[in-house]
């Protein structure tokens, strides 16, 4: 990945390759063995440095604080320390970009750059992309300091995040000739499904919790279908609701608690969409780091491997840089802000081990991967096969082809 990948293009099938290297892009000419024709592709570096200022590592003195991770939590922790006059700080970030789980890919192939210049292009956020509005102190600071000036903060599109009860519904059925037909359901039918099928499940759910206690949504919905539903359209509707929840929470229905999760039927928390022209969640993180004066405290490409805190007043932090060199630094305090996925993977060794209570929480909390498919059409006639609506729901037949494209 990154610059290294751009330097190391490996073709398949024995094609011969000639690299012509420039500062900004790799021009790659290749000839396939089955043809004498030479083709050319341009490979953009996936990253570019946001600043020449990187933290100078001091192994001879003790830091007041070492922060592991330069995502939003790590950046905010560093800003808090600096605001309090504590400047003997080091931030260690394993990636070669600032932002952690906020990762924006821009038009030129760059990742997480401050104040992106190409405002005509909608960046693609591979990680976080929704900025939640309610109960979030972060948004107040970002608005006040001008980080969201390019967003339409009055846009009501996402003030109630995609409520399923208001979505256009399409249903598929198979005719006698074997062809699959797709038609839009009348709005009155959708409202009836919401009131009758989903409303019926809400009553069933409360009664089930009183009688049987905690269980998964999958278990509850399967019981509901067996005991209450006979109409195929009703079953399709409740299946769509369950699949929608799986997408929202990035987890299987049998992993979702019947008491611990809301649903998108009525709509989830209001949000702002960050993947808009000239913004991007990752770009905003990089802009924040630059504007708040954090860049000189951050060491990129520093993978922390061990935190030895046997001496509570002098923790030893070991990390490996991109060139494979291991370095140890000491600190009075270590703030670990890495993601749950990193903690679950156990890539950081803690000495002594984390308290059992913390480790149990890490082990038992769910963490999954959401795959995002970004589609772009250059032919308007092809694009017009999709309904001209912000979002929609498709109900397929309840058979072996369900849940497949």
């Amino acid at each position: 990945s990154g610059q290294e990948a751009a330097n190391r293009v490996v073709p398949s099938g024995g094609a011969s390759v000639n690299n012509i290297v420039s500062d900004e892009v790799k021009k790659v000419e290749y000839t396939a063995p089955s043809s004498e024709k030479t083709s050319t592709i341009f490979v953009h570096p996936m990253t570019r440095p946001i600043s020449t200022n990187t933290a100078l590592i001091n192994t001879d003195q003790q830091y007041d604080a070492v922060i592991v991770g330069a995502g939003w939590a790590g950046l905010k922790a560093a800003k808090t320390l600096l605001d309090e006059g504590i400047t003997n700080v080091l931030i260690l970030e394993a990636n070669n970009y600032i932002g952690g789980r906020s990762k924006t890919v821009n038009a030129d192939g760059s990742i997480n750059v401050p104040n992106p210049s190409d405002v005509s292009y909608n960046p693609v956020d591979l990680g976080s992309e929704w900025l939640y509005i309610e109960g979030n102190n972060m948004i107040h600071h970002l608005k006040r300091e001008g980080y969201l000036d390019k967003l339409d903060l009055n846009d009501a599109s996402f003030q109630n995040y995609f409520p399923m009860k208001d979505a256009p519904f399409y249903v598929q059925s198979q005719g006698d000739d074997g062809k699959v037909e797709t038609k839009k359901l009348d709005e009155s039918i959708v409202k009836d499904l919401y009131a009758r099928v989903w409303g019926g499940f809400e009553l069933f759910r409360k009664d089930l919790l009183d009688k049987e206690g905690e269980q998964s949504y999958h278990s509850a919905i399967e019981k509901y279908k067996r005991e209450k539903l006979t109409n195929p359209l009703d079953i399709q509707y409740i299946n769509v609701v369950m699949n929608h929840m799986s997408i929202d929470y990035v987890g299987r229905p049998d992993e979702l608690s019947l008491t611990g999760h809301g649903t998108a039927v009525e709509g989830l928390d209001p949000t702002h969409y960050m993947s808009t022209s000239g913004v991007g969640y990752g770009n905003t993180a990089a802009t924040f780091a630059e504007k708040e004066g954090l860049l000189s405290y951050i060491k990129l490409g520093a993978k922390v491997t061990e935190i030895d805190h046997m001496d509570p007043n002098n923790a030893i932090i070991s990390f490996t840089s991109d060139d494979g060199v291991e370095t140890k630094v000491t600190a009075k305090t270590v703030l670990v802000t890495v993601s749950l996925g990193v903690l679950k993977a156990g890539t950081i060794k803690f000495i002594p081990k984390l308290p059992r209570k913390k480790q149990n929480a890490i082990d038992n909390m769910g963490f999954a991967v959401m795959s995002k498919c970004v589609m772009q059409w250059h032919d308007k006639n092809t694009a017009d096969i999709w309904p001209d609506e912000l979002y929609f729901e498709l109900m397929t037949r309840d058979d072996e082809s369900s849940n497949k494209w």
Side-chain angles (χ1 to χ4, degrees):
S1 63
Q3 186 70 50
E4 184 181 357
N7 290 332
R8 191 163 33 87
V9 179
V10 183
S12 61
S16 60
V17 173
N18 177 34
N19 278 335
I20 302 173
V21 181
S22 71
D23 290 338
E24 293 298 324
V25 71
K26 309 300 175 189
K27 178 181 178 184
V28 182
E29 296 179 352
Y30 66 95
T31 304
S34 59
S35 170
E36 295 182 355
K37 181 180 178 181
T38 298
S39 300
T40 302
I41 60 174
F42 293 90
V43 183
H44 287 273
M46 289 303 292
T47 62
R48 70 168 184 253
I50 65 170
S51 171
T52 56
N53 295 326
T54 57
L56 297 176
I57 305 300
N58 189 337
T59 59
D60 296 328
Q61 72 173 35
Q62 184 188 54
Y63 286 95
D64 287 327
V66 167
I67 300 171
V68 184
W72 281 106
L75 296 176
K76 172 57 176 168
K79 173 176 166 49
T80 301
L81 290 172
L82 295 181
D83 287 347
E84 294 295 326
I86 302 171
T87 59
N88 187 20
V89 174
L90 174 65
I91 308 170
L92 299 174
E93 169 55 50
N95 292 309
N96 57 357
Y97 61 88
I98 291 171
R101 209 168 51 81
S102 294
K103 184 178 183 181
T104 304
V105 177
N106 299 294
D108 60 356
S110 62
I111 294 177
N112 291 17
V113 295
N115 304 305
S117 57
D118 190 349
V119 297
S120 65
Y121 171 83
N122 281 351
V124 177
D125 276 311
L126 301 185
S128 56
E129 56 187 332
W130 305 99
L131 177 59
Y132 287 85
I133 297 173
E134 294 182 351
N136 184 1
N137 291 330
M138 176 179 175
I139 190 173
H140 301 303
H141 177 81
L142 295 181
K143 287 169 65 174
R144 184 175 64 250
E145 299 300 323
Y147 293 103
L148 305 180
D149 286 351
K150 295 177 184 177
L151 279 184
D152 181 4
L153 298 177
N154 296 315
D155 182 11
S157 299
F158 304 106
Q159 297 307 304
N160 191 15
Y161 174 72
F162 292 165
M164 278 188 62
K165 64 184 180 66
D166 299 329
F169 272 77
Y170 292 77
V171 65
Q172 286 186 337
S173 59
Q174 191 170 28
D176 296 335
D177 58 0
K179 292 184 178 179
V180 175
E181 297 179 341
T182 304
K183 65 177 182 179
K184 186 175 182 178
L185 284 181
D186 186 81
E187 187 176 337
S188 62
I189 297 177
V190 178
K191 289 184 180 298
D192 173 69
L193 287 169
Y194 166 68
R196 183 172 50 79
V197 179
W198 180 251
F201 174 72
E202 283 288 77
L203 294 174
F204 183 85
R205 168 181 171 271
K206 293 175 182 176
D207 186 55
L208 197 63
L209 285 171
D210 288 340
K211 291 179 179 178
E212 301 181 11
E214 174 66 289
Q215 56 193 281
S216 70
Y217 257 99
H218 177 265
S219 173
I221 283 183
E222 288 303 309
K223 291 173 184 175
Y224 180 60
K225 288 193 293 185
R226 286 197 304 269
E227 298 179 23
K228 303 292 184 180
L229 302 183
T230 56
N231 186 316
L233 189 63
D234 295 350
I235 295 173
Q236 284 176 282
Y237 182 83
I238 204 71
N239 284 343
V240 167
V241 173
M242 193 68 261
N243 291 332
H244 202 124
M245 284 189 65
S246 294
I247 294 171
D248 277 325
Y249 290 107
V250 200
R252 299 193 314 269
D254 61 353
E255 296 175 321
L256 301 180
S257 165
L258 192 59
T259 58
H261 294 84
T263 73
V265 179
E266 291 84 8
L268 297 178
D269 296 335
T271 60
H272 290 308
Y273 188 57
M274 297 291 283
S275 299
T276 56
S277 298
V279 189
Y281 223 139
N283 291 336
T284 304
T287 305
F288 178 89
E290 182 178 79
K291 185 175 178 180
E292 302 293 343
L294 304 178
L295 296 184
S296 62
Y297 297 91
I298 300 173
K299 173 65 175 177
L300 298 177
K303 300 176 178 62
V304 173
T305 57
E306 183 179 282
I307 299 174
D308 183 340
H309 55 111
M310 290 293 290
D311 182 348
N313 298 312
N314 189 51
I316 304 171
I317 304 95
S318 303
F319 65 92
T320 304
S321 55
D322 284 338
D323 56 8
V325 176
E326 184 181 71
T327 305
K328 295 180 184 290
V329 293
T330 61
K332 297 176 183 177
T333 301
V334 186
L335 301 175
V336 181
T337 69
V338 299
S339 71
L340 177 61
V342 173
L343 293 173
K344 290 177 79 68
T347 55
I348 300 176
K349 181 180 179 181
F350 292 93
I351 303 174
K353 294 181 179 180
L354 293 176
R356 175 48 52 189
K357 184 178 180 180
K358 285 188 178 182
Q359 192 61 54
N360 284 342
I362 292 169
D363 294 340
N364 292 328
M365 289 177 68
F367 194 89
V369 175
M370 173 183 282
S371 298
K372 299 180 182 180
C373 180
V374 180
M375 295 175 283
Q376 181 179 4
W377 285 267
H378 299 285
D379 181 353
K380 186 178 185 300
N381 294 326
T382 304
D384 282 347
I385 66 172
W386 293 93
D388 186 21
E389 289 149 339
L390 181 64
Y391 65 106
F392 59 94
E393 304 290 346
L394 176 65
M395 298 197 295
T396 59
R397 293 170 297 136
D398 189 21
D399 60 16
E400 68 280 354
S401 68
S402 295
N403 307 322
K404 292 182 173 62
W405 277 98

